[in-house]
Amino acid sequence: MITDEHVFTEILNQRTNVLQDSLALSVIIPTRNEAGNVDALLTALHKAFDATPVEVIFVDDSSDETPQVVEAAVKRFPELNIRLIHRRADQRTGGLGGAVLVGLRDVHAEYACIMDGDLQHPPEIVPVLLQTALNKRSDLVVATRRSEDSQVLGLNIVRNLISKGLDRIGRIFFPRELRGVSDPLTGFFLIKVKSLKLDELRPKGFKILMEILVRHPNLRRAEIPFRFGERHAGQSKASVAEIWKYFSLLWGLRFGEESLRFIGFAAVGLSGIFVNSLAVYVATDQMHIHYLVSAWIATLASTLWNFSLTEAWVYRSNERNKGRPRRLGIFFGMNLLALLLRSPIIYLLTTALGFYYVLSNLISLAILTVLRFALADKIIWGQTSSSSPVSNPELTVWRPLMKKSYSYNIHNVVTVVSEGELPELEPFQVTSDILEPTISVKIGAPRAQKTSDEKGKYLRYRELFGRLGFEVGIEMGDQINVVASPALRLSPHVLYTNVIEPLLRWTFVKKGYALVHGATIAFGNQAYMITARTDTGKTTTLLKILAYQRRNSDQAAFLSDDMTIVSSDGTAMTYPKPLTISYHTMRAVNSDTLNFKERLALPFQSRIHSRSGRRFAFFISKTHLPAATINMIVQMIVPPPKYFVNKLVPKVKMTRKANLTGMFIIERGEEEIVSMKNTEAMEVLLQNCEDAYGFPPYEDLKEFLYIQDGIDLRKKEHEIIHQALGELPATIIRSSTMDWWSQIPTFVNNDQVSHDITRALEVETTPRGRYGRETESVSV
């Protein structure tokens, strides 16, 4: 047996390159202590295939003499092209399913058959599986124990009942994916290897076919019956532990691996509460220590308890012993952060949002558990619980979280490369590398300012918690370099809104453009800007216009909802950020475009990110509390309800550029439609622009951002906006019913649009009900 010191023990057939084009099939046999079955199995396979060229790959996790038996069989069965991959104890991730994945990565034939090594899967059926796949052009052929023509001899009554019960449970989790497959738990099947996305497989235990079916629902499938026989030799590997792995597999596939880790993390936290209470009792009542000192002792005890269990149970890793003191220190800091944040969260929920204080307390505990898990999962343990393959295809090992860059090209004016995802810029994302971006965003620890000479060139904004909170360093120059704390990667909307968008605002100004706070809609080549104070109803108005126009005349086209890029010659360029909707916006659009989870979360998201929530956030910003960090955490746990316009109004018409023709200012108040002096309109527009950037840390950054090389970019921004909009007609529309959507198109110089809207208003006043008609008429 040849030993490779880095990866595995393997016997390579010398004719591999030749056989790669001629092999009919690769047979993968995961083995664990099956020495007594190897010879009989190979004899039966040799008889079944006769002269047909195949290869047999043993992926072995044995502690007995199975590897030696396989090695001895190589010379006796040269026609089977036997190879052995022996995994050391520290390499046996994923159990039997992990062994199958190792084999699939190393096959040389187009099709691979997976079978057990105990002869319960009859070798004579293997050629039938292959022939069925070729005849029916199937990607997957399942050898089923559950058809009328099948026989099950190798399972006693109890095991057979358990197997059927597990099958039923799997179908409850995945009724659609398992439809038409009578035996998703069989370990005997044939697969077309290229039809699999091997990097997406995360096997656990025996039931790899279940994962293949769920992750690849579009496979062309076929079945054949077979006789499930008695074990030839050795002992069954079925156990309670394997059943638990099966349940964790189902849960992970249905709800995601993070949810499974979160359950473990929460369970450890609950046990920590008991440890904390016990420690307080022992220290105070038994050791007669002052209760305040006891509380600190209990916190220390429960933190050590939680950390130890989290390391050993939730984040099991071969590398976990490395860096343990550092992880423990961050874990302590995280718990301190959680304690300090509970009070403002309870105050926000109770005072600002009107929750019952007991419920607020429970919600704060839940939020902090989620927060602690998010920080633990991304920063402390760095996703060590996720397995990913390394360059050697035979081995799956633990790897740290790898950095990924996202590249964005905004109209060939400004480019951004970021290590943190910026979902608001998704429409501008490109796959090609941007070697010299206008703005470069790194995730890490921002450096301190070195000397006073850096004033005006470098600034670091840092709140109380440093890397665990909101921290950013910005270096100005030909290229703007940003270093954001790791926590900001977990709150991408805050990273964009509170860091990147202010930078984009003044970067566009330097290049001769203005990023104006206003929605823009186009009729033909004529664009109209709609501006309003934040949370007035601009988004709902825009959606109603677009939805009605799409259904009736399809003349209105979307450019932007929140920000519009404007050039001095009056050209408006699209800036299609996702729209932040509210629960009330659902009156404007049919909620069917949102899935059940999104509809369920929307009321709570709307409550947190409502006008009252925004007011409370501004109140926090006036205190000495770490407002940016609190905002980051809130949006990390409860992200704002943001959706792109084509999700809310499917098949909406969109355009990249249009010429600005007019401006509308919408306000709440008594019904009124009046022309407005352009100078007054400009003041309102500029004030609305400033209103969009009021939240921390903007007040601390703004002068650093707009004063560059001694030039005040505010004056240049005002010049661009005045040149673009200064001569355009402006109309102010006030409404107590927020009915702006029905008024705006009447001002557009298009007789057909005016006629359509007038007719729509007549329809809307019928007894069917105003919103009933709107909801019915908008297809979402």
Side-chain angles (χ1 to χ4, degrees):
M1 184 165 53
I2 303 171
T3 301
D4 185 313
E5 62 179 351
H6 299 294
V7 186
F8 55 88
T9 303
E10 179 182 15
I11 298 176
L12 287 174
N13 188 281
Q14 298 299 317
R15 294 177 295 156
T16 293
N17 293 333
V18 176
L19 288 171
Q20 196 159 351
D21 296 325
S22 61
L23 284 174
L25 181 68
S26 297
V27 181
I28 300 172
I29 306 173
T31 53
R32 184 178 181 185
N33 299 338
E34 300 286 0
N37 292 318
V38 171
D39 282 342
L41 175 62
L42 292 175
T43 299
L45 281 173
H46 179 264
K47 182 178 180 180
F49 281 99
D50 194 16
T52 305
V54 299
E55 68 173 352
V56 178
I57 303 173
F58 286 91
V59 185
D60 183 62
D61 292 349
S62 297
S63 56
D64 68 354
E65 65 274 15
T66 300
Q68 291 77 17
V69 174
V70 173
E71 179 183 10
V74 170
K75 295 179 181 179
R76 291 190 291 108
F77 297 97
E79 301 86 354
L80 295 179
N81 302 295
I82 300 168
R83 292 189 289 131
L84 172 69
I85 301 173
H86 180 69
R87 302 197 301 176
R88 299 190 309 267
D90 61 341
Q91 299 170 348
R92 296 168 190 170
T93 57
L96 181 144
V100 171
L101 181 58
V102 167
L104 286 170
R105 292 186 181 282
D106 201 44
V107 299
H108 293 137
E110 183 179 6
Y111 290 91
C113 176
I114 287 82
M115 64 183 302
D116 290 346
D118 54 13
L119 291 173
Q120 288 185 300
H121 297 159
E124 60 269 19
I125 296 297
V126 178
V128 180
L129 291 170
L130 178 60
Q131 195 61 49
T132 302
L134 296 174
N135 292 344
K136 296 186 176 182
R137 297 183 179 179
S138 302
D139 300 314
L140 172 67
V141 183
V142 175
T144 176
R145 301 164 296 176
R146 303 301 179 194
S147 76
E148 294 180 356
D149 299 322
S150 302
Q151 289 182 288
V152 180
L153 304 178
L155 294 178
N156 58 38
I157 295 177
V158 174
R159 286 189 58 194
N160 197 28
L161 287 174
I162 291 174
S163 178
K164 289 182 178 180
L166 296 178
D167 185 312
R168 291 287 184 185
I169 293 170
R171 294 181 191 279
I172 292 173
F173 275 80
F174 302 102
R176 183 177 60 84
E177 291 84 351
L178 302 184
R179 187 179 297 123
V181 180
S182 62
D183 192 4
L185 302 185
T186 182
F188 192 15
F189 59 93
L190 180 138
I191 187 75
K192 189 175 183 178
V193 180
K194 289 184 179 179
S195 68
L196 294 177
K197 298 176 181 178
L198 297 179
D199 289 339
E200 293 184 3
L201 295 177
R202 297 290 183 267
K204 290 182 181 180
F206 287 8
K207 309 306 179 183
I208 190 171
L209 177 60
M210 173 70 74
E211 183 178 11
I212 289 173
L213 290 168
V214 172
R215 295 194 189 276
H216 302 80
N218 296 321
L219 292 176
R220 293 168 294 184
R221 307 166 181 177
E223 289 189 347
I224 65 167
F226 80 103
R227 180 179 181 273
F228 185 73
E230 299 281 354
R231 167 175 277 275
H232 179 74
Q235 295 181 345
S236 171
K237 310 305 185 298
S239 65
V240 174
E242 289 300 327
I243 294 176
W244 171 252
K245 289 180 183 178
Y246 173 70
F247 283 122
S248 66
L249 171 67
L250 292 180
W251 186 276
L253 288 172
R254 180 77 278 173
F255 302 108
E257 291 293 330
E258 284 196 358
S259 68
L260 197 61
R261 291 199 297 274
F262 175 73
I263 291 173
F265 191 86
V268 170
L270 287 174
S271 71
I273 293 175
F274 172 78
V275 171
N276 186 285
S277 302
L278 180 63
V280 168
Y281 169 76
V282 171
T284 305
D285 284 27
Q286 303 299 316
M287 302 177 67
H288 307 293
I289 298 174
H290 191 277
Y291 69 90
L292 290 178
V293 178
S294 297
W296 280 97
I297 294 173
T299 299
L300 175 63
S302 61
T303 299
L304 289 173
W305 170 270
N306 286 356
F307 179 81
S308 300
L309 278 188
T310 303
E311 283 264 301
W313 185 35
V314 182
Y315 294 96
R316 291 172 298 201
S317 167
N318 294 332
E319 300 291 328
R320 68 174 182 267
N321 290 325
K322 298 179 181 179
R324 179 175 286 174
R326 172 184 170 275
R327 293 197 298 275
L328 179 59
I330 299 176
F331 191 75
F332 266 105
M334 179 184 71
N335 285 344
L336 176 61
L337 170 65
L339 287 172
L340 293 175
L341 286 175
R342 282 196 63 204
S343 294
I345 290 175
I346 293 172
Y347 183 83
L348 165 65
L349 294 172
T350 304
T351 304
L353 301 179
F355 283 80
Y356 182 49
Y357 74 93
V358 175
L359 180 59
S360 298
N361 183 58
L362 292 175
I363 292 174
S364 73
L365 288 171
I367 288 176
L368 288 175
T369 298
V370 176
L371 168 64
R372 289 170 59 245
F373 171 72
L375 293 175
D377 200 51
K378 304 297 183 182
I379 297 177
I380 302 178
W381 280 274
Q383 286 191 355
T384 57
S385 60
S386 298
S387 59
S388 57
V390 292
S391 56
N392 292 310
E394 294 78 13
L395 185 61
T396 299
V397 299
W398 303 104
R399 300 187 70 186
L401 180 66
M402 298 188 68
K403 292 183 178 180
K404 177 182 178 181
S405 292
Y406 302 85
S407 300
Y408 308 93
N409 185 337
I410 309 173
H411 293 289
N412 293 318
V413 177
V414 175
T415 56
V416 181
V417 174
S418 174
E419 289 181 356
E421 187 177 8
L422 303 172
E424 280 80 359
L425 295 181
E426 183 181 315
F428 299 110
Q429 188 169 354
V430 295
T431 56
S432 57
D433 292 334
I434 299 176
L435 300 180
E436 297 182 2
T438 314
I439 301 174
S440 173
V441 184
K442 304 287 187 182
I443 302 296
R447 65 175 176 84
Q449 188 168 313
K450 294 180 181 177
T451 65
S452 59
D453 296 336
E454 287 191 318
K455 187 175 182 181
K457 294 296 183 183
Y458 180 77
L459 182 144
R460 181 178 71 164
Y461 179 88
R462 176 185 175 89
E463 290 191 339
L464 179 63
F465 306 108
R467 294 186 65 190
L468 292 178
F470 189 111
E471 183 181 18
V472 63
I474 303 172
E475 183 177 14
M476 306 300 289
D478 294 334
Q479 180 184 77
I480 299 174
N481 295 302
V482 179
V483 178
S485 61
L488 274 168
R489 190 208 297 264
L490 307 180
S491 191
H493 296 299
V494 171
L495 175 61
Y496 169 81
T497 303
N498 297 82
V499 180
I500 304 305
E501 189 167 276
L503 284 170
L504 287 172
R505 176 186 180 182
W506 300 111
T507 302
F508 274 116
V509 171
K510 287 176 64 176
K511 294 180 177 291
Y513 299 85
L515 192 58
V516 179
H517 184 212
T520 304
I521 190 169
F523 294 88
N525 193 41
Q526 296 181 335
Y528 296 82
M529 182 171 289
I530 306 169
T531 187
R533 295 292 298 270
T534 301
D535 296 321
T536 297
K538 186 169 75 274
T539 297
T540 301
T541 300
L542 183 72
L543 285 172
K544 285 186 176 183
I545 294 174
L546 290 171
Y548 179 81
Q549 289 283 305
R550 184 196 61 77
R551 193 185 87 249
N552 289 275
S553 62
D554 201 30
Q555 292 181 332
F558 173 84
L559 274 88
S560 63
D561 165 65
D562 187 54
M563 294 287 178
T564 303
I565 303 171
V566 174
S567 62
S568 57
D569 64 359
T571 300
M573 296 190 294
T574 184
Y575 199 70
K577 289 167 51 179
L579 287 69
T580 304
I581 67 173
S582 68
Y583 185 67
H584 300 290
T585 308
M586 305 311 291
R587 296 177 180 176
V589 297
N590 186 334
S591 61
D592 289 346
T593 55
L594 304 185
N595 61 38
F596 175 76
K597 180 180 178 182
E598 292 166 339
R599 294 197 303 271
L600 193 65
L602 184 58
F604 187 67
Q605 289 176 295
S606 297
R607 194 86 177 267
I608 295 294
H609 300 285
S610 64
R611 178 183 293 186
S612 58
R614 181 177 172 84
R615 282 201 298 263
F616 180 77
F618 274 106
F619 167 74
I620 290 290
S621 70
K622 304 302 181 182
T623 69
H624 295 291
L625 292 171
T629 297
I630 292 172
N631 180 44
M632 178 192 72
I633 292 168
V634 170
Q635 295 205 38
M636 184 190 304
I637 306 305
V638 186
K642 289 178 175 281
Y643 300 98
F644 287 102
V645 67
N646 55 357
K647 179 177 177 69
L648 300 171
V649 185
K651 300 181 181 179
V652 65
K653 187 175 180 181
M654 302 178 71
T655 186
R656 288 179 59 82
K657 293 182 180 180
N659 297 319
L660 285 167
T661 306
M663 180 170 59
F664 297 98
I665 299 170
I666 61 175
E667 294 180 355
R668 301 185 186 191
E670 293 299 322
E671 310 297 322
E672 185 178 19
I673 303 174
V674 294
S675 296
M676 191 177 195
K677 290 183 179 180
N678 194 273
T679 52
E680 295 177 5
M682 288 296 99
E683 291 179 7
V684 172
L685 180 63
L686 293 173
Q687 180 57 47
N688 289 344
C689 288
E690 287 303 314
D691 181 53
Y693 294 95
F695 200 76
Y698 187 71
E699 287 298 317
D700 295 85
L701 300 180
K702 63 180 183 181
E703 187 172 345
F704 170 76
L705 296 179
Y706 63 64
I707 302 294
Q708 296 186 22
D709 299 322
I711 300 173
D712 190 339
L713 294 177
R714 291 177 299 176
K715 295 180 180 179
K716 188 174 180 179
E717 181 185 57
H718 290 183
E719 290 174 1
I720 296 170
I721 294 174
H722 277 283
Q723 289 173 11
L725 296 158
E727 302 298 326
L728 300 182
T731 303
I732 183 168
I733 305 178
R734 296 187 179 94
S735 174
S736 60
T737 60
M738 298 187 291
D739 201 27
W740 305 290
W741 81 274
S742 63
Q743 305 295 330
I744 288 174
T746 62
F747 289 87
V748 177
N749 187 20
N750 188 311
D751 291 338
Q752 182 61 44
V753 173
S754 298
H755 174 72
D756 287 344
I757 294 298
T758 301
R759 184 178 60 186
L761 291 174
E762 294 174 355
V763 174
E764 299 296 345
T765 57
T766 65
R768 296 180 62 179
R770 175 176 178 167
Y771 288 117
R773 174 61 180 169
E774 290 173 357
T775 303
E776 178 186 357
S777 65
V778 179
S779 174
V780 178

